[in-house]
Amino acid sequence: MGEKSCTQYACVVGGHHGTPPDKSKIDEEKNRKTNVGLDSEAWISVQDKLIDFVADMS
């Protein structure tokens, strides 16, 4: 999946609070160092499953 597709899905996921994030907000979150546990194997596996599910549904 390309970066453009990932950014589009990030807007959908990030919009669950009512307002989709813009590119600067996505970049800010990508570079944030305080996301404890986001690089764990378990969370990466869940992310992959969620993205596959959304891709299959769309």
Side-chain angles (χ1 to χ4, degrees):
M1 184 176 303
E3 185 172 337
K4 183 176 180 181
S5 296
C6 291
T7 299
Q8 291 170 338
Y9 285 123
C11 285
V12 172
V13 173
H16 75 273
H17 287 287
T19 306
D22 59 17
K23 183 175 178 348
S24 65
K25 185 67 175 171
I26 293 170
D27 290 343
E28 178 184 315
E29 290 300 317
K30 243 183 354 186
N31 295 322
R32 207 164 102 182
K33 301 294 184 203
T34 57
N35 291 328
V36 177
L38 294 183
D39 291 333
S40 71
E41 282 187 42
W43 179 231
I44 291 170
S45 173
V46 169
Q47 289 176 9
D48 289 342
K49 289 175 185 173
L50 284 170
I51 292 297
D52 288 343
F53 175 77
V54 171
D56 289 344
M57 296 301 290
S58 61

